[in-house]
Amino acid sequence: MATKIYIVYYSTWGHVATLAEEIKKGADAVTGVEATVWRVAETLPEEVLGKMGAAPAREDHAVISPRNLTDADGVLLGFPTRFGMMAAQMKAFLDATGGLWQSQALAGKPAGVFLSTGTQGGGQETTALTAVTQLTHHGMLFVPLGYTFGAGMFGVDEVRGGSPYGAGTFAGADGSRTPSEAELAIARHQGTYFAGIAKKLKAGATALAAEASASA
């Protein structure tokens, strides 16, 4: 069976949605992996979104419900920052996973994050760091990007989002900046790297289950 990777995001101006698509490309490059992009439900009224200049919702990405998470072998969560933490829309989605938390239905599943901030000091690391608490309470296995992208993580010749926690981009204070090729490359790498780890974990779990069944 294919290793299922769910890429779940919230995006205001489209930056995180763009990263999600690049991450999917990277994950799909791993043999035996099936990656799906989902979006979480919007919580703001259309009037407010219009005043913010928000991008239209990506109708090609289905809205996820908490119970869908149990079908995934690995989950990557993407969101813009709000004062150094994840946007309320993603937090609202995670707040609705109480039933999964109570049963620990997500325990042992690998998870990672990717994000967008307005400025260089806007929370590229703190937004990811504060998101880890959500994964911890679910017993999920946080898989950071580290410096696995090699030289692509060390360049200082251009403004670039992303960190050892996960892929990232800068939107600019008004959302006018789009993800750079360097940022998109890191996102694709995260998809490939994460999918490979999720695949190995699933294979290991399957082997252990088969061994336990044989010895029963």
Side-chain angles (χ1 to χ4, degrees):
M1 294 179 62
T3 298
K4 295 182 179 181
I5 303 298
Y6 282 5
I7 304 162
V8 184
Y9 76 91
Y10 171 73
S11 190
T12 304
W13 288 323
H15 299 77
V16 182
T18 298
L19 292 181
E21 287 288 354
E22 291 300 311
I23 288 173
K24 183 180 188 304
K25 291 177 184 177
D28 284 339
V30 179
T31 303
V33 168
E34 178 183 292
T36 305
V37 178
W38 303 78
R39 59 188 169 94
V40 303
E42 180 59 77
T43 60
L44 293 175
E46 288 296 329
E47 179 182 1
V48 174
L49 292 172
K51 292 180 179 179
M52 294 173 64
R58 289 284 300 269
E59 297 300 332
D60 55 324
H61 298 156
V63 175
I64 194 169
S65 68
R67 64 178 178 274
N68 293 134
L69 294 176
T70 60
D71 298 327
D73 296 305
V75 180
L76 283 163
L77 301 173
F79 35 80
T81 187
R82 298 292 184 265
F83 304 111
M85 296 182 288
M86 67 174 63
Q89 290 86 345
M90 180 60 74
K91 184 60 166 61
F93 170 74
L94 292 172
D95 284 349
T97 62
L100 301 179
W101 163 77
Q102 190 170 34
S103 63
Q104 286 293 282
L106 304 181
K109 292 182 185 291
V113 299
F114 58 101
L115 52 94
S116 172
T117 66
T119 62
Q120 294 184 65
Q124 286 281 318
E125 290 198 0
T126 60
T127 303
L129 183 60
T130 53
V132 173
T133 60
Q134 311 292 316
L135 311 180
T136 300
H137 282 264
H138 276 290
M140 303 182 83
L141 308 177
F142 178 51
V143 181
L145 185 58
Y147 284 88
T148 58
F149 195 49
M153 300 290 290
F154 292 94
V156 294
D157 55 332
E158 63 176 298
V159 174
R160 176 187 56 75
S163 75
Y165 291 94
T169 187
F170 294 118
D174 59 357
S176 61
R177 182 185 182 276
T178 57
S180 68
E181 180 50 46
E183 292 166 343
L184 296 177
I186 292 175
R188 289 191 296 273
H189 170 73
Q190 184 174 13
T192 301
Y193 178 71
F194 181 85
I197 290 178
K199 181 179 177 180
K200 290 178 182 178
L201 288 172
K202 181 176 182 178
T206 300
L208 286 173
E211 182 180 337
S213 177
S215 60

